[in-house]
Amino acid sequence: TFPIFMDMEASKSSFQAWLQGNYFNKPAVRRSSLFLCTNPMFYCNFFAGLNKTILGYFGLPLLYMVPHQDGARWLEEFTALASLPTSLFVSNNPLHAEQVAWQSGVRLPVLRPVTLYITERYQPDRPEDVLVPEPREACVLYCILRAFTPANYPLNFFGKVDTDRSYTSFARFRSVVIYPHDFALMTFYEFYTMGMPLFMPGHLSKYLFPFSASVPLLDWLSDAPSSFEERPPFSPLSLSSSEALRYWQGKIDFFALPAVQLFEGVGHLMNLLLEVDLQDISQQMLTNRRIRLET
């Protein structure tokens, strides 16, 4: 289950009343020409009718936090809102763009996060230490690695909890091993920006996320015309089988971006961490980011 707006119209009206009463009396706000909204996507509807350009940047599905009974109405409102010349909506990853198209017929451009706020770069002065930043302090891969590491293995594994959680500290590690819990992870893009060599599971079964935002619970179709010439055999929201994941794999940045190292098991990971050219991997990642910034 996910948190939801109990009353979408009341939420919108309350927000607009609060905005009008607290901010529109300020000259700087009245002069502003652009309002920014992000996840959940329904937030963009809060700005509808305020005579401002709306910039939306999204990574979670259209129906995230939307009550089931309001799904059809919101998809219609989104389609209308997205068609306005005063709306500029963008997906932060290719899979999300496919999810939006699947449900609404609207094709959003894709602009992956480039995390300009991060200036730190890969400086591995801890060449024997590997960072394993588990989601929400969980202990999955981190605990397995520590349990099965041979006594004479030359590398050590650390979690975020073992650091001061700063980008400067992260940049000092030899590499990063990510065991993802969702498809749109800012952590992934942040480490990619830093040029940190990334190691991730290669087997598709590790990308079956029952508690992520890309689940059948949010996979509801409207009667809007499809933007697909032929509707795909699998929904990009119901990624609940290896077949569906394999079909959409090319739209998942963990697999699509160059230089991400995929491992097939703990033993394979242990070998990869020692065998690959980390500096070459880091340079490929930095080059890819630079090209995305320039284009």
Side-chain angles (χ1 to χ4, degrees):
T1 59
F2 304 97
I4 62 171
F5 293 100
M6 298 305 296
D7 188 324
M8 295 175 65
E9 281 305 312
S11 298
K12 176 181 176 180
S13 299
S14 297
F15 175 82
Q16 289 188 343
W18 172 82
L19 192 65
Q20 295 276 5
N22 292 276
Y23 283 92
F24 274 17
N25 59 341
K26 299 180 179 180
V29 175
R30 289 200 305 271
R31 289 195 302 268
S32 65
S33 59
L34 182 71
F35 281 175
L36 173 66
C37 55
T38 182
N39 307 308
M41 293 178 70
F42 180 71
Y43 277 155
C44 288
N45 209 27
F46 288 9
F47 296 135
L50 296 180
N51 198 30
K52 299 287 184 179
T53 297
I54 305 173
L55 172 62
Y57 189 56
F58 313 119
L60 294 179
L62 264 168
L63 295 182
Y64 180 70
M65 292 185 67
V66 175
H68 182 73
Q69 67 272 17
D70 294 324
R73 178 163 56 88
W74 163 233
L75 290 180
E76 291 180 2
E77 291 175 353
F78 171 78
T79 301
L81 190 61
S83 68
L84 296 176
T86 52
S87 297
L88 175 59
F89 294 161
V90 181
S91 290
N92 78 354
N93 69 86
L95 181 65
H96 180 266
E98 298 295 335
Q99 292 172 343
V100 173
W102 172 268
Q103 288 189 304
S104 70
V106 176
R107 278 276 169 194
L108 299 184
V110 176
L111 179 62
R112 293 179 173 94
V114 290
T115 59
L116 294 175
Y117 54 88
I118 294 180
T119 58
E120 292 80 1
R121 294 296 180 264
Y122 181 49
Q123 296 289 338
D125 58 10
R126 296 178 61 173
E128 298 178 352
D129 298 337
V130 177
L131 181 65
V132 189
E134 294 279 24
R136 304 183 183 95
E137 302 306 334
C139 186
V140 184
L141 186 61
Y142 177 60
C143 289
I144 292 174
L145 288 173
R146 299 198 75 167
F148 288 93
T149 301
N152 60 345
Y153 191 69
L155 304 182
N156 309 299
F157 298 98
F158 295 88
K160 284 192 297 186
V161 69
D162 301 312
T163 74
D164 63 4
R165 300 174 184 267
S166 69
Y167 296 118
T168 301
S169 294
F170 296 158
R172 298 174 58 204
F173 281 84
R174 175 188 184 91
S175 54
V176 179
V177 181
I178 295 181
Y179 196 91
H181 64 280
D182 210 328
F183 293 106
L185 294 182
M186 282 304 300
T187 300
F188 170 80
Y189 295 107
E190 289 174 340
F191 285 129
Y192 203 99
T193 287
M194 297 165 67
M196 296 285 296
L198 283 165
F199 294 77
M200 302 188 70
H203 200 281
L204 291 175
S205 65
K206 303 304 182 290
Y207 296 86
L208 297 170
F209 303 136
F211 302 110
S212 81
S214 297
V215 293
L217 178 65
L218 300 178
D219 190 8
W220 186 90
L221 287 177
S222 73
D223 296 326
S226 173
S227 62
F228 297 97
E229 292 184 5
E230 181 178 348
R231 186 168 285 280
F234 300 100
S235 164
L237 280 156
S238 297
L239 300 179
S240 54
S241 68
S242 293
E243 291 80 8
L245 282 163
R246 189 171 297 111
Y247 183 86
W248 291 108
Q249 185 174 356
K251 300 294 185 179
I252 300 172
D253 277 347
F254 305 148
F255 300 99
L257 289 183
V260 177
Q261 305 300 297
L262 302 176
F263 60 89
E264 297 303 320
V266 172
H268 185 212
L269 172 62
M270 296 284 189
N271 290 331
L272 273 181
L273 288 169
L274 296 173
E275 294 171 355
V276 298
D277 186 335
L278 298 174
Q279 290 296 334
D280 180 64
I281 291 170
S282 177
Q283 191 57 51
Q284 289 184 57
M285 296 165 75
L286 293 174
T287 299
N288 175 267
R289 179 179 180 269
R290 177 179 55 79
I291 291 172
R292 284 189 283 123
L293 276 173
E294 292 175 351
T295 56

